[in-house]
């Protein structure tokens, strides 16, 4: 049997009805609302747990810092505030009281920094005291301590007649690099962290999307079969149109869910930036080695990702359609979902396993292999491990799988979708396609 | 208009489930497809409607292959169902849309059939609720404005009412060819009459109906032509009245006031059943029946009932299927 335009007549109506009913479903709506709420709250949550400060005109915890220098070195108090712009609001004064009596002299919002040396043979001690622990361990106290240390060091060097340049030369760090000939000839374009985390995050997103879409498609098909409606529908619609309509509706619903989440995240970011320092969000990706500078991110790369995702989704959806049609009751749904889920998981695991590799035949093979290529093809292209021709070849191979699956479905969907009985196995499906099976016989 | 089914055949591997089935309908009426369980009736209907691929044969409507493009078909499947969690109205509009009926037209037709099949309260719960609230308001204590009722879902309906909605889905496109697979199974006597009335109306409108049923009395009531199938093959086909005529009047129902077994034996008839001098007899024909009647009159035995009939469809069915099984 070959595919013709007639096989898809009515797809639009099945699509719109299925999508409308998915949107009317209370459980789906609640899931959607929860996901959007999570994404809306994500940036404030990241900012607050990431330790960023509100950059509003809030008052500092420390307003005055008293410096008690008990050493022989003279330090310039005015220089302390100049070192850190954030300290400009804090008044720096010389402490004219004994350090032991600080409790009697300090008021709330005041800090005492004492610099002293126990004996000539021991090092210097810089300690901070305040009335409360919150004040002594505050961000400003920590900044103030750092500034005092730097000014004090400078005073010590000046006293010994050493210039800043000399200090820089003495204290500069050095790095030891051991490079193999292979690494020298094939230098890494991106770091291990970048490759690993990018692959890990991308593969997880694709896996979640695929599993969600697969479960929605299988549920939509099995519910229809279990409701004994298929026969009634097949008077008006061809089985392929029935399944394709459901697949498209489920894909649009899942993509809509993800798009809503992304939109929620963007809104959350924009609104949060009005009140918080949201640089922590970029910082999180930065610590994972992911930044636009380290990747080949441009418009063609984004288009490439979209093409890879769509071809992959089409494959998983057709598989879901097949496994869904093989069931007759909702009790068989879980085992039907299991097969495409396992295939998705396998693709995910392989892609993560090769994420640390810096190119090579294994990476190229996995980037070309259908199913696995959905998970790793675009990432390997982004990090520069494969070229554009390899990526295009991976699409061609994936599309070939889609066409083969579609032709296989065209052969068996009509009998499979009308079939009622125990779940049809892959072996039985192949027998059906070859016209050797009695499945589909209902009387 | 005409329907022509020729050599319809379906095989699964080595097993033939429908073997060269042919029949035709040259004019409007009801054609019955009868058969034992597993005889191939539903498979034949599915092949006719293009749901199942056929290995051989063709189905023509007005000379062109039967499809939704060439014929407006209505189908009530044997395995009936509705989406349990979707509203009835949404489902009916969807089914009508698939059959090419616009939303506005579908709403009109749903309204008509809802009234006709007495399921308005499920399809228009607010309208029914408002009507009853209006009645309450006229009382001494006016009732509060009624809450808007939620649209009914299919799983909130009884089986019979679900069956009415399913019947609506078959009728909503106003089909030229209506295929009903066991249309009356599971219905109570009131709803059976309601369905029968609608089927009769459709026949009067000049529709072509194909009916598959195990209820022989119903088939006899509506059908003009029949095919009896047994184990994938047609074992008897033709015009129902002609088939019956070919069997002759062999069923005699006789009610008297005393034991007449000796007269029956003497006439050569056989007793099928007897209860309080009410006999069901099998005779060879009118001559044998008249001979028995003559003997009873001569003996001055009062006769309450003497009814000589052709065999019923039920008897023909059992006989034909039995013959076919014996032959195999």
């Amino acid at each position: 049997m070959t595919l013709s335009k007639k096989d898809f007549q009515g797809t639009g109506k099945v699509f719109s009805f299925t999508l409308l009913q998915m949107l009317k479903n209370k459980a789906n709506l609640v899931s959607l609302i929860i996901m959007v709420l999570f994404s809306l709250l994500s940036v404030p949550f990241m900012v607050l747990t990431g330790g960023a400060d509100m950059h509003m005109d809030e008052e500092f915890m420390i307003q005055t810092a008293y410096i008690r220098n008990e050493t022989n070195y003279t330090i310039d108090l005015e220089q302390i505030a100049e070192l850190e712009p954030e300290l400009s609001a804090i008044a720096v004064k010389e402490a004219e009281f004994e350090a032991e009596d600080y409790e009697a002299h300090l008021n709330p919002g005041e800090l005492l920094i004492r610099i002293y040396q126990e004996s000539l043979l021991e090092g210097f001690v810089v300690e901070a005291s305040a009335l409360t622990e919150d004040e002594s361990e505050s961000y400003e106290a920590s900044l103030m301590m750092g500034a005092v240390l730097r000014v004090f060091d400078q005073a010590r060097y000046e006293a010994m007649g050493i210039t800043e340049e000399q200090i820089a030369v003495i204290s500069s760090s050095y790095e030891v690099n051991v490079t193999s000939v292979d690494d020298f000839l094939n230098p890494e374009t991106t770091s291990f962290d970048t490759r690993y985390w990018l692959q890990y995050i991308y593969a997880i997103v694709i896996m979640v999307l695929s599993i969600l879409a697969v479960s929605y498609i299988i549920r939509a098909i099995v519910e229809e079969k279990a409701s004994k409606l298929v026969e009634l529908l097949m008077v008006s619609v061809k089985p392929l149109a029935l399944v394709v309509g459901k697949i498209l509706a489920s894909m649009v619903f899942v993509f809509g869910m993800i798009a809503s989440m992304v939109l929620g995240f963007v809104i959350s970011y924009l609104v949060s930036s009005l009140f918080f320092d949201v640089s922590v969000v970029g910082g999180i990706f930065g610590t994972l080695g992911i930044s636009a500078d380290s990747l080949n991110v441009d418009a063609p790369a984004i288009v490439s990702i979209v093409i890879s995702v769509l071809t992959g989704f089409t494959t998983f959806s057709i598989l879901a359609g097949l496994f869904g049609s093989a069931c007759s009751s909702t009790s068989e749904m879980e085992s039907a979902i299991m097969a495409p889920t396992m295939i998705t998981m396998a693709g995910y695991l392989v892609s993560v396993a090769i994420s640390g590799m810096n190119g090579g035949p294994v990476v190229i093979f996995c980037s070309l292999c259908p199913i696995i290529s959905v998970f790793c093809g675009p990432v390997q292209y982004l990090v520069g491990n494969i070229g554009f021709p390899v990526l295009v070849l991976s699409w061609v191979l994936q599309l070939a799988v889609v066409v083969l699956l579609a032709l296989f479905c065209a052969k068996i969907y009509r009998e499979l979708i009308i079939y009622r009985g125990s779940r049809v196995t892959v072996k039985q499906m192949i027998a059906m396609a070859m016209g050797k099976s009695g499945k589909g016989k209902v009387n | 208009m005409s329907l022509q089914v020729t050599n319809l055949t379906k095989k699964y591997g080595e097993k033939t489930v429908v073997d060269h089935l042919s029949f035709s309908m040259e004019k409007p009426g009801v054609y019955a497809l009868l058969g034992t369980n597993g005889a191939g009736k539903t498979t034949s209907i599915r092949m006719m409607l293009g749901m199942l691929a056929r290995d051989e044969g063709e189905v023509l409507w007005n000379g062109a292959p039967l499809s939704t493009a060439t014929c407006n078909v209505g189908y009530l499947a044997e395995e009936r169902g509705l989406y349990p969690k979707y509203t009835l109205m949404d489902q009916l509009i969807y089914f009508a849309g698939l059959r090419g009926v616009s939303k506005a037209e579908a709403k009109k037709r749903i309204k008509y059939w809802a009234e006709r099949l007495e399921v308005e309260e499920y399809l228009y719960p607010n309208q029914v609720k408002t009507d009853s609230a209006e009645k309450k308001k006229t009382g001494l204590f006016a009732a509060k404005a009624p809450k808007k009722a939620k649209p009914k879902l299919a799983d909130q309906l009884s089986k019979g009412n679900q069956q009415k909605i399913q019947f609506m889905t078959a009728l909503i496109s106003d089909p030229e060819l209506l295929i009903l697979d066991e249309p009356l199974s599971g219905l109570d006597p009131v709803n059976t009459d309601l369905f029968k009335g609608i089927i009769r109306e459709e026949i009067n409108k000049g529709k072509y109906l194909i009916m598959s049923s195990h209820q022989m009395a119903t088939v006899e009531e509506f059908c003009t032509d029949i095919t009896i199938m047994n184990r994938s093959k047609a074992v008897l086909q033709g015009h129902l009245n002609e088939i019956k005529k070919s069997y002759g009047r062999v069923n005699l129902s006789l009610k008297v006031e005393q034991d007449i077994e000796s007269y029956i034996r003497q006439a050569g008839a056989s007793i099928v059943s007897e209860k309080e001098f009410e006999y069901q007899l099998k005779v060879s024909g009118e001559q044998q029946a008249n001979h028995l009647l003559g003997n009873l009159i001569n003996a001055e035995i009062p006769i309450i009932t003497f009814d000589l009939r052709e065999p019923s469809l039920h008897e023909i069915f059992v006989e034909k299927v039995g013959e076919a099984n014996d032959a195999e």
Side-chain angles (χ1 to χ4, degrees), chain A residues 146 248 267 407 410:
Chain A
L248 290 177
I267 291 170
L407 289 172

Side-chain angles (χ1 to χ4, degrees), chain A residues 148-194:
Chain A
V148 168
L149 276 174
R150 281 159 67 189
V151 171
F152 181 63
D153 277 345
Q154 210 174 335
R156 283 166 62 204
Y157 301 145
E158 277 173 8
M160 291 183 177
I162 302 169
T163 63
E164 271 185 41
E165 287 77 21
Q166 286 170 320
I167 296 293
V169 169
I170 293 165
S171 60
S172 61
S173 62
Y174 52 86
E175 194 179 317
V176 179
N177 282 327
V178 180
T179 309
S180 67
V181 175
D182 195 35
D183 284 347
F184 181 76
L185 294 174
N186 301 294
E188 287 191 357
T189 47
T190 48
S191 71
F192 175 86
D193 279 356
T194 306

Side-chain angles (χ1 to χ4, degrees), chain A residues 24 224 231 236 420 443, chain B residues 40 46 75 79 83 90 99:
Chain A
K24 279 186 175 182
E224 200 158 84
E231 253 190 277
S236 323
R420 295 185 61 77
N443 212 327
Chain B
R46 285 175 178 173
Y75 178 45
E79 283 197 324
Y83 294 105
D90 280 0
R99 305 308 321 279

Side-chain angles (χ1 to χ4, degrees), chain A residues 93-307:
Chain A
K93 295 176 183 173
E94 195 172 340
E96 289 170 357
F97 50 87
E98 290 296 321
E100 288 78 15
D101 301 334
Y102 78 93
E103 279 177 295
H105 291 88
L106 288 183
N107 294 312
E110 291 182 340
L111 180 76
L112 170 69
I113 296 177
R114 182 188 174 205
I115 311 164
Y116 64 97
Q117 189 176 24
E118 295 281 357
S119 69
L120 272 173
L121 294 174
E122 287 179 43
F124 292 97
V125 179
V126 181
E127 61 182 25
S129 309
L131 290 180
T132 64
E133 204 170 304
D134 282 349
E135 287 170 332
S136 63
E137 290 177 2
S138 67
Y139 175 60
E140 305 93 271
S142 156
L143 272 181
M144 181 62 76
M145 284 284 278
V148 168
L149 276 174
R150 281 159 67 189
V151 171
F152 181 63
D153 277 345
Q154 210 174 335
R156 283 166 62 204
Y157 301 145
E158 277 173 8
M160 291 183 177
I162 302 169
T163 63
E164 271 185 41
E165 287 77 21
Q166 286 170 320
I167 296 293
V169 169
I170 293 165
S171 60
S172 61
S173 62
Y174 52 86
E175 194 179 317
V176 179
N177 282 327
V178 180
T179 309
S180 67
V181 175
D182 195 35
D183 284 347
F184 181 76
L185 294 174
N186 301 294
E188 287 191 357
T189 47
T190 48
S191 71
F192 175 86
D193 279 356
T194 306
R195 291 197 306 269
Y196 178 77
W197 286 110
L198 187 68
Q199 180 63 75
Y200 183 76
I201 293 169
Y202 177 79
I204 250 184
V205 170
I206 296 296
M207 185 180 67
V208 170
L209 274 171
S210 306
I211 291 174
L212 263 178
V214 159
S215 62
Y216 275 114
I217 291 166
I218 290 181
R219 190 180 305 160
I221 293 171
V222 175
E223 278 178 354
E224 200 158 84
K225 281 192 79 177
S227 305
K228 300 173 184 175
L229 267 162
V230 174
E231 253 190 277
L232 173 65
L233 292 167
M234 278 175 64
V235 177
S236 323
V237 198
K238 298 278 182 197
L240 268 179
L242 204 59
V243 177
V244 170
K246 291 198 176 299
I247 286 174
L248 290 177
S250 305
M251 280 172 76
V252 166
F253 183 75
V254 172
F255 274 111
M257 256 175 140
I258 301 302
S260 311
M261 283 178 71
V262 171
L263 189 67
F265 184 81
V266 170
I267 291 170
S268 177
Y269 185 86
L270 294 174
V271 173
S272 300
S273 65
L274 298 174
F275 305 101
F276 305 107
D277 175 11
V278 289
S279 58
V280 68
V281 179
I284 290 172
F285 287 105
T287 53
L288 301 178
I290 300 168
S291 68
D293 302 334
S294 61
L295 305 169
N296 302 328
V297 179
D298 50 15
I302 292 166
V303 172
S304 305
I305 292 175
V306 171
I307 294 172

Side-chain angles (χ1 to χ4, degrees), chain B residues 100-136:
Chain B
V101 181
S102 70
K103 197 173 175 181
E105 181 60 28
K107 282 185 173 175
K108 274 187 212 166
R109 293 186 188 178
I110 291 166
K111 180 89 181 150
Y112 168 77
W113 284 113
E115 284 173 13
R116 193 74 187 75
L117 284 158
E118 298 163 13
V119 284
E120 289 161 288
E121 59 183 301
Y122 308 112
L123 281 157
Y124 308 97
N126 287 310
Q127 188 183 307
V128 174
K129 212 167 180 181
T130 312
D131 291 347
S132 53
E134 285 297 323
K135 280 176 196 166
K136 274 187 188 173

